[in-house]
Amino acid sequence: MNDVWRSLDDVPADLGRTVVTVGNFDGVHLGHQHVIARAGELARELGADGVVAVIFEPHPIAVLRPEHAPPTLTTVDTRVDLLVESGVDGVLVLPFSREVAGWSPERFVRDVLVDALHARAVVVGANFRFGNRAAGDVATLRELGAELDFVAEGIALDGGPQVWSSTYVRNCLSTGDVEGAAEALGRPFTVRGVVVVGDKRGRELGYPTANVPTSGMQCAPADGVYAGRLLRLDTGEQMPAAISVGTNPTFAGERERRVESYVLPEAAGDDLDLYGVEVEVAFVSRIRGMLRFDSVEQLVEQMADDVRRTRARLVEQPR
């Protein structure tokens, strides 16, 4: 299958019986992966034709209560990629609007799960709610499934003592705990974007960086310096990097928050040019918080130490 549908109209009419999982899946963390794994097991047990994930774009809270909308951990395209990597065979990106928010649980089940996706089973997180005013839950799914020929399961998003959630990952990132975020995600946290031309101050200081602006709606770790890796999405080349997140407080007038990656010289070569290239920046370990320096000389001395510590951290954590 391995298809992505951007509306209900895009789903082929001859789609076979599927196991469906529904949610925002922001970050596709270990709790989400647990749900997807169970959906895969059910698909094999029931002889279904595949697993389909239903996600919403934009996030329902961004439509219903935009002032309370959290920054997203992943763009919708990254989410689709991660879902497929986790074992999903198809993804329905359902455009979310106030009209869709007003659908009753029964309409959502009939229009989306049954008529479009031909659900044989539905697997969701145990706290899943859906439909107008969040009136539907797992019990609702089971009741409607008995009528419409599908089974439903609610899966606890367990992570040992911690229940994994997108909120938990955001809380880790807000304190710079990228290792805690990685534990919940099952992989390092990443941001993705196109490298833009910056002020070139790093180049003047001997530390040229690849700059990716951070959108107000996409998460980034707390301001500071991190050891990590930069992946070129055009070539697949991955390079070790010292990564700064913040607004360059040492220099007056710098207010745009950016992710700036200095690729270690042993990996950069003599002619590394990343302008206009889409990259993915992975955060492995926090080096320090953001500091303001009284002189450029102090900043350069600290940057040299940051690079030394980054190299040491990446040797300790080679993957």
Side-chain angles (χ1 to χ4, degrees):
M1 195 186 299
N2 286 333
D3 291 314
V4 180
W5 307 298
R6 300 286 173 169
S7 73
L8 286 175
D9 292 338
D10 290 344
V11 181
D14 62 353
L15 183 70
R17 298 299 299 271
T18 66
V19 174
V20 182
T21 181
V22 189
N24 290 308
F25 291 103
D26 191 18
V28 192
H29 52 66
L30 290 179
H32 295 143
Q33 293 170 45
H34 185 44
V35 172
I36 293 166
R38 177 55 186 154
E41 290 175 358
L42 265 181
R44 290 186 291 273
E45 291 172 10
L46 299 173
D49 292 317
V51 175
V52 174
V54 179
I55 63 176
F56 304 98
E57 178 62 21
H59 193 294
I61 295 179
V63 173
L64 300 175
R65 292 182 295 161
E67 69 278 10
H68 296 294
T72 58
L73 298 171
T74 46
T75 65
V76 66
D77 290 337
T78 301
R79 223 180 315 163
V80 168
D81 291 344
L82 290 170
L83 286 166
V84 171
E85 289 174 14
S86 298
V88 163
D89 301 295
V91 182
L92 170 59
V93 182
L94 190 65
F96 194 84
S97 62
R98 287 192 173 273
E99 178 188 354
V100 173
W103 288 359
S104 67
E106 293 78 10
R107 179 177 177 183
F108 179 84
V109 167
R110 288 183 182 276
D111 287 7
V112 178
L113 304 183
V114 176
D115 291 347
L117 300 178
H118 308 158
R120 178 66 185 85
V122 179
V123 183
V124 293
N127 61 350
F128 177 70
R129 303 299 295 257
F130 68 105
N132 187 30
R133 300 185 182 276
D137 56 14
V138 176
T140 309
L141 285 174
R142 291 196 179 107
E143 291 169 7
L144 291 169
E147 175 188 343
L148 299 170
D149 189 31
F150 66 83
V151 296
E153 290 188 11
I155 305 296
L157 307 185
D158 290 328
Q162 174 63 52
V163 176
W164 301 135
S165 70
S166 301
T167 299
Y168 174 80
V169 177
R170 289 188 198 98
N171 288 342
C172 286
L173 295 174
S174 70
T175 63
D177 182 11
V178 294
E179 290 168 302
E183 182 182 3
L185 292 167
R187 63 184 185 280
F189 174 74
T190 63
V191 297
R192 185 180 290 192
V194 175
V195 176
V196 301
V197 178
D199 50 40
K200 299 189 177 181
R201 187 171 283 121
R203 187 175 299 276
E204 294 171 1
L205 300 178
Y207 293 91
T209 58
N211 301 329
V212 176
T214 63
S215 158
M217 284 304 293
Q218 188 172 2
C219 261
D223 289 2
V225 176
Y226 300 84
R229 296 180 179 82
L230 182 144
L231 171 68
R232 292 185 61 141
L233 295 178
D234 58 343
T235 65
E237 181 182 8
Q238 184 173 257
M239 296 166 280
I243 306 160
S244 172
V245 179
T247 58
N248 291 331
T250 297
F251 298 98
E254 296 287 348
R255 290 297 176 265
E256 182 185 31
R257 195 161 185 258
R258 294 179 294 192
V259 174
E260 302 183 58
S261 302
Y262 170 66
V263 176
L264 300 193
E266 57 266 32
D270 298 326
D271 57 351
L272 182 64
D273 182 359
L274 295 173
Y275 293 136
V277 174
E278 188 177 15
V279 299
E280 187 174 82
V281 180
F283 296 84
V284 173
S285 178
R286 183 174 171 90
I287 300 296
R288 62 171 173 85
M290 186 59 69
L291 302 172
R292 187 184 185 283
F293 297 93
D294 295 328
S295 69
V296 172
E297 290 75 19
Q298 288 179 342
L299 171 61
V300 171
E301 182 178 348
Q302 181 62 61
M303 291 168 74
D305 186 59
D306 293 339
V307 170
R308 178 189 62 77
R309 293 172 65 188
T310 293
R311 185 178 287 110
R313 294 283 180 90
L314 295 179
V315 169
E316 294 167 4
Q317 303 181 57
R319 289 183 176 275

